[in-house]
Amino acid sequence: MIFAFLCVLLAHSAPEPPLVVASYSYPAFDRSVALAPMADVVGHAAGRPVKIVLFDTPDALSDAVCAGQVDVAMTNLGAWVTMRDCAGVNAIAVLDTPPTVLDRYRGVLLTRADTGISGLADLSARTETLRYSEVLPGSTSGALVQAAQLRELGVTPAHFAARLHAGTHDKSLEYLLAGEADIAALAENPWRSLQESDPARAETLRLLWRSDPLPPGPVICREREAVPCAAIGNALLDAAAAATAEALAQGWMETEGAERFRPYDEAVYAPFTSH
């Protein structure tokens, strides 16, 4: 009887495990720092301790969310479209990014002029001889939108002679410039920067394709009894969360300059799918 009583007492006094606030790593940004203020908001709204976890890729983040290993996450577009149909996963806020930043968040496909490739139509017959560089699995502007465009030609990244994961957008561009790849998928910003800083070097490359503007990924919350997603969402959308939004925005190039959160709008994201 005493033993049973002690077991019940210990069960009730055991500390609750921390909620997991997560995203994925990227070498150019310290995302643990960017996530910290949002983690504080989550912890305060939930009345629970919080820990920050960074996964290696957007795909790994999506898998962890769907497996129930993550409670709140900052996503990119690629991770969001692969996780949004998983049980209990809802978008609760989006960084209100300036229109000028949103307009230049696009993906591009580049090739070197010396490949002789003049347009996308030339790729189908030559994929088996070309090396393809992309950023990392699940990168929106450096893998997914390009793969979707290639599929319209009946081509996938796996069809190329080699498929390289550069790790960053700048590195994907560098692989192309150094002759280590023949086609490169990356965000438009590094390509713009090269054109401005070194026009002669940029002239050695050819733009094959440029995407429409891409929205940033939302903050998501996985609904379960111990996670007050509505309260967390309301806290982020409150005007008092401006500093939290500014800190989070500094961790992603596609959200640069955001000063607040806004409600999620499904109409913005409906055109994007994981297929």
Side-chain angles (χ1 to χ4, degrees), residues 205-220:
L205 304 181
R206 181 170 289 142
L207 176 66
L208 296 177
W209 176 80
R210 179 178 184 242
S211 78
D212 290 333
L214 304 166
V219 177
I220 66 91

Side-chain angles (χ1 to χ4, degrees), residues 26 133-135 164-178 180-181 184-186 190:
Y26 188 73
S133 172
E134 58 188 6
V135 178
L164 310 172
H165 285 121
T168 69
H169 297 272
D170 290 326
K171 193 68 175 177
S172 187
L173 179 60
E174 189 57 38
Y175 279 177
L176 187 64
L177 289 165
E180 297 176 40
L186 60 142

